[in-house]
Amino acid sequence: MATKEAPRLDLPWKEANPGGIVLDAGNSVTYITGTWRTLRPVRDLEQCTQCLICWIVCPDAAITVKDGKVVGFDYDHCKGCGICAQQCPVNVKKPHAITGEMGKVIQMVPEADFQK
Amino acid sequence: MNQMLEIRWHGRAGQGVVTAGELLGEAAMETGKYFQAFPEYGAERMGAPIKAYTRISDKPIEIHSPILEPDMVIVVNPNLIGVVDLTEGLKPDGIIIINTSQTPQEIRKRLDFKGGQVWCVDASKIALEEIKRDIPSTMMLAVVSKATGIVDLDTIIHLTKERLGGKLRPEVVEANVRALKRAYEECVQG
Amino acid sequence: MVESKYMPLDGANAVSQAMRQINPDVVAAYPITPQTAVVQNFSQYVADGLVDTEFVPVESEHAAMSACVGASAAGARVMTATAANGLALMWEMLYIASGMRLPIVLTVVNRALSSPLNIHCDHSDSMGARDSGWLQLYAETGQEAYDNTIKAIRIAEHPDILLPVMSCQDGFITGHGVERVGILPDEAVQEFVGTYHPKYSLLDTDHPVTMGAWDFTDYYFEHKRQQTEAMNNALPIVKQIFREYEELSGRPQSIVDMWGMDDADYAIIVLASTAGTTRTVAREWRARGIKVGVIKPRVYRPFPAQEIIEAIKNCKAVAVLDRAISFGTPLGAGPLFTDITSALYNEGITGLPVVDYIYGLGGRDTVPPMIESVYQDLQEIAATGERGALVRYLGLRE
């Protein structure tokens, strides 16, 4: 989760940074793009082989890895593009822990299901 | 209609919101009205919240600025509640049309909106069932038709066939038409 | 004050000498007539080890200014040079440089912006760039081109300005014309320009920043407001830097050079080399007892409106000489004329007859009899009370 302060969007002109320079490097972490998602990737962690391909292909660095192992998704920044699910090379051997379906270890489910 | 109808659309980039706004305007034009349809251009990225505007009038429209006090707000993506101020500037007797599986009462509560009308339609569900993709925007037009009568459903169906006919297989076009009819029938006011 | 050493130099070489003494961190440039000598000489200094500059030979002027933008953002002191179509090819990047508030110094050797194809002097190139957010200085002589180049560094880098500066001189007339040019000692120039300490730098990894980022509808306007504020407030700072340079060099430096303007009835306002020709004529007329004067703005952007209005407000008639047409303005007047007349209006001065003379396009010679005809016209306007044609042409075959 973001620890940085989000840039102010309402400063009067005298207080803006000249030339539009951005002084706080890496503040895009404060931009919560996870709300853009209409489909959410879900992983059956038990059946995941930790091949890390999802981590390589994710264009938003939203695969959370700890000590060399995938532990989950950064849902604040995952836009739900589905590349991880598409590229996941591993099929489940028993129904997916979250969706109950056969198919990949990472599957996409409607975000709306999580909002209720 | 003696005055201008001003509509603000809320959705996410890639959902066909802009197209739906244009389609509504075109449908109005078919009946001899004037219209404007324009998006608020931003950093267009799939999924980013976007706004679009549609104006419909019996007279030529001269104003060229975003709509600040809409008569109607159409919310294509329910997960924008709490993310965007959906009722900003909405007239007290205005209309909200929202794609949701919730009831008008639940939506009124979530948006803290007491006046006007709230129309709910589970357009995403209909879209997934009929078109097999979550592209609910044009279905909102069917609800606009039912709520206001400003355009009739047949015109919307006719235009949808015209727009999609050249690009998509006949069965997909038919699926879109079925979805429109279902949205018209299944939407509820409260 | 320090003594200058006098050398026979053409205007381009005078600029190269200034660049050698400034010893900028980066120069990225592409050759184009009549600027070529500036870069050619300077690249020789680089090859000879006389400067520490990273010289970036590029494939176009667009690339030249792009490289300057990158280097300046990285915190370097950056210079380049161009002319005419080369300046036109830089256009896009001119706005990037000023919008990012990068203190780049560009020396322009003015040349007609074709077509029909022409490589000789007029101001159509830099005048087109007058709204690009760059400060503009115009030099009458090779000496002034040298002096302005050095001052430009200090002006651009001043923390309250932080805008790029375009230092212009007339192609061929001064650019290729050899004159006696006083060169300050290297150390004096080094001391005058000092060391550039950028507030922000892309290479300052301890304080990482982002420059040139996407600026949406929510901030672009505010940044442009800041930019125009910096330009609006620049003149007093420019004046101060000119004054400091005057003390250093002993050469008079004012942002607007006035000749005979204390009591002039008839004034001509003109930029760059033709100011000298005009003054030559004015001296003769003064000797005959006619009160004529000459105004030469050394700074054109920001426009020194107050200084000019103050000088001309008691004149009987005024002529502006424009070496460029601002096509489509009322009657096709030039940019200097429209600036001056709008300034007069803003000051509530409406009774003063002011006429515009387009002159010297594409290197057409402007000779003393033409200037005399202008003063004669002004006398006639004052005598008859008839202003006559607003825009006239000097040296055009009728």
Side-chain angles (χ1 to χ4, degrees):
Chain A
M1 187 54 207
T3 51
K4 283 180 173 290
E5 215 171 295
R8 290 274 301 273
L9 297 177
D10 57 351
L11 290 176
W13 69 269
K14 284 182 184 172
E15 292 168 37
N17 290 330
I21 191 168
V22 182
L23 300 178
D24 189 15
N27 69 26
S28 63
V29 74
T30 66
Y31 192 17
I32 305 303
T33 52
T35 64
W36 302 7
R37 205 166 48 236
T38 52
L39 294 172
R40 173 187 290 215
V42 290
R43 178 195 310 271
D44 185 332
L45 205 50
E46 197 188 316
Q47 300 194 62
C48 173
T49 63
Q50 294 290 343
C51 70
L52 290 173
I53 285 177
C54 55
W55 175 75
I56 293 168
V57 297
C58 176
D60 280 299
I63 307 291
T64 313
V65 172
K66 209 173 175 183
D67 300 328
K69 298 240 189 255
V70 170
V71 292
F73 295 96
D74 172 4
Y75 286 121
D76 280 344
H77 298 97
C78 164
K79 296 174 188 145
C81 70
I83 292 175
C84 55
Q86 181 77 30
Q87 293 295 317
C88 175
V90 182
N91 287 317
V92 291
K93 296 193 170 62
K94 56 181 184 183
H96 193 284
I98 295 162
T99 68
E101 307 273 341
M102 296 307 285
K104 300 274 187 75
V105 163
I106 302 176
Q107 297 183 7
M108 302 301 287
V109 293
E111 185 66 25
D113 293 355
F114 294 89
Q115 305 235 333
K116 285 167 192 164
Chain B
M1 187 176 59
N2 291 321
Q3 61 190 44
M4 193 147 56
L5 179 70
E6 296 190 306
I7 301 167
R8 186 175 66 219
W9 296 74
H10 290 279
R12 291 190 178 275
Q15 287 190 302
V17 177
V18 177
T19 307
E22 289 170 6
L23 208 58
L24 177 61
E26 271 184 61
M29 191 181 78
E30 292 271 312
T31 61
K33 294 186 198 307
Y34 293 87
F35 82 100
Q36 276 181 349
F38 55 101
E40 187 173 280
Y41 291 100
E44 309 293 346
R45 290 161 297 198
M46 270 302 221
I50 61 157
K51 282 187 231 175
Y53 303 95
T54 308
R55 284 191 176 96
I56 297 170
S57 171
D58 288 331
K59 293 182 190 153
I61 301 166
E62 294 177 70
I63 188 170
H64 285 92
S65 68
I67 294 164
L68 300 178
E69 294 181 353
D71 302 292
M72 183 189 293
V73 168
I74 302 175
V75 183
V76 181
N77 196 319
N79 73 10
L80 288 169
I81 297 176
V83 177
V84 178
D85 186 357
L86 297 170
T87 54
E88 185 182 16
L90 178 64
K91 286 175 183 156
D93 60 346
I95 300 171
I96 296 173
I97 296 176
I98 184 164
N99 166 23
T100 177
S101 56
Q102 291 186 305
T103 65
Q105 289 69 33
E106 286 168 317
I107 294 296
R108 275 185 183 280
K109 204 174 156 197
R110 288 182 71 187
L111 292 179
D112 192 25
F113 182 66
K114 297 180 180 67
Q117 307 170 18
V118 174
W119 289 77
C120 293
V121 61
D122 199 348
S124 288
K125 180 172 146 243
I126 299 171
L128 284 169
E129 285 173 7
E130 300 292 343
I131 314 168
K132 315 294 180 205
R133 278 180 64 200
D134 186 5
I135 39 173
S137 291
T138 52
M139 267 157 277
M140 310 307 281
L141 300 185
V143 187
V144 174
S145 170
K146 194 157 181 179
T148 67
I150 194 161
V151 287
D152 64 70
L153 186 62
D154 287 344
T155 310
I156 295 165
I157 289 172
H158 163 72
L159 279 175
T160 303
K161 282 180 175 172
E162 215 172 60
R163 274 218 173 193
L164 303 182
K167 294 188 272 190
L168 302 176
R169 296 194 312 278
E171 55 268 34
V172 180
V173 177
E174 273 313 307
N176 274 277
V177 172
R178 278 200 309 280
L180 280 171
K181 288 178 176 165
R182 276 188 62 186
Y184 190 87
E185 293 305 325
E186 293 174 23
C187 62
V188 286
Q189 189 208 337
Chain C
M1 195 192 119
V2 295
E3 288 297 322
S4 286
K5 187 177 107 188
Y6 289 91
M7 295 167 71
L9 293 174
D10 62 39
N13 206 344
V15 169
S16 317
Q17 289 290 347
M19 289 171 73
R20 179 185 60 74
Q21 296 179 312
I22 292 163
N23 193 5
D25 299 313
V26 174
V27 168
Y30 189 83
I32 181 170
T33 300
Q35 156 268 25
T36 305
V38 175
V39 178
Q40 189 181 319
N41 293 330
F42 187 76
S43 60
Q44 187 70 51
Y45 301 146
V46 175
D48 292 348
L50 297 179
V51 289
D52 311 309
T53 306
E54 181 76 28
F55 185 82
V56 190
V58 285
E59 75 276 17
S60 75
E61 286 84 355
H62 188 279
M65 188 50 72
S66 300
C68 288
V69 165
S72 185
R77 175 176 277 164
V78 182
M79 301 183 77
T80 184
T82 193
N85 303 62
L87 182 61
L89 191 51
M90 279 184 182
W91 222 264
E92 178 190 7
M93 304 315 296
L94 293 180
Y95 282 77
I96 306 295
S98 60
M100 285 176 70
R101 310 292 300 275
L102 300 174
I104 299 163
V105 170
L106 162 65
T107 69
V108 173
V109 189
N110 285 112
R111 157 183 151 177
L113 201 49
S114 307
S115 68
L117 184 59
N118 183 290
I119 59 164
H120 288 277
C121 177
D122 70 31
H123 298 160
S124 52
D125 51 359
S126 56
M127 279 300 164
R130 69 188 185 277
D131 293 344
S132 63
W134 287 59
L135 284 83
Q136 285 193 342
L137 313 177
Y138 285 82
E140 177 186 328
T141 58
Q143 181 71 66
E144 285 196 351
Y146 168 85
D147 295 336
N148 285 352
T149 304
I150 295 167
K151 288 180 287 183
I153 295 286
R154 284 278 305 276
I155 295 167
E157 292 171 2
H158 193 282
D160 292 337
I161 296 180
L162 277 183
L163 286 169
V165 179
M166 208 176 281
S167 178
C168 310
Q169 65 170 313
D170 283 352
F172 296 98
I173 301 165
T174 64
H176 279 44
V178 181
E179 290 180 297
R180 177 181 187 268
V181 177
I183 300 293
L184 292 168
D186 292 357
E187 315 78 62
V189 174
Q190 275 293 317
E191 199 182 323
F192 182 79
V193 297
T195 308
Y196 175 41
H197 298 288
K199 192 170 177 195
Y200 304 109
S201 156
L202 289 179
L203 293 182
D204 181 1
T205 49
D206 291 334
H207 305 94
V209 296
T210 300
M211 294 190 196
W214 173 235
D215 201 12
F216 201 33
T217 46
D218 53 12
Y219 263 121
Y220 185 84
F221 200 173
E222 278 70 23
H223 289 134
K224 289 295 141 184
R225 178 67 185 85
Q226 286 184 327
Q227 197 182 325
T228 194
E229 183 77 355
M231 186 68 101
N232 292 345
N233 295 337
L235 267 186
I237 302 166
V238 174
K239 265 186 201 168
Q240 174 58 33
I241 293 168
F242 270 49
R243 208 173 300 131
E244 279 181 47
Y245 189 81
E246 180 174 312
E247 285 162 16
L248 174 71
S249 66
R251 289 186 282 271
Q253 310 284 322
S254 54
I255 59 168
V256 184
D257 182 70
M258 305 287 180
W259 191 92
M261 288 311 299
D262 288 342
D263 61 346
D265 291 330
Y266 314 105
I268 292 178
I269 307 169
V270 58
L271 296 168
S273 68
T274 307
T277 313
T278 307
R279 218 180 298 109
T280 306
V281 172
R283 283 181 211 282
E284 288 173 20
W285 281 52
R286 274 277 171 176
R288 303 202 316 248
I290 306 160
K291 290 182 179 172
V292 294
V294 184
I295 297 175
K296 177 190 70 177
R298 286 195 180 91
V299 180
Y300 176 64
R301 283 288 181 268
F303 190 64
Q306 289 302 326
E307 286 76 4
I308 294 174
I309 300 305
E310 198 58 37
I312 63 174
K313 66 181 184 192
N314 295 321
C315 288
K316 291 177 178 166
V318 172
V320 179
L321 268 55
D322 265 302
R323 203 161 194 155
I325 297 172
S326 182
F327 291 103
T329 51
L331 299 169
L336 188 56
F337 177 81
T338 54
D339 282 331
I340 288 166
T341 48
S342 78
L344 282 168
Y345 182 86
N346 292 340
E347 289 297 312
I349 300 167
T350 52
L352 174 64
V354 186
V355 287
D356 192 23
Y357 290 81
I358 306 293
Y359 77 102
L361 299 192
R364 176 62 50 88
D365 285 334
T366 306
V367 294
M370 296 177 193
I371 305 297
E372 288 183 13
S373 76
V374 173
Y375 279 132
Q376 278 161 5
D377 288 352
L378 293 181
Q379 282 182 309
E380 199 179 310
I381 289 168
T384 61
E386 303 278 330
R387 192 199 58 196
L390 192 75
V391 177
R392 302 145 185 237
Y393 302 89
L394 211 52
L396 177 78
R397 288 186 302 278
E398 297 286 352

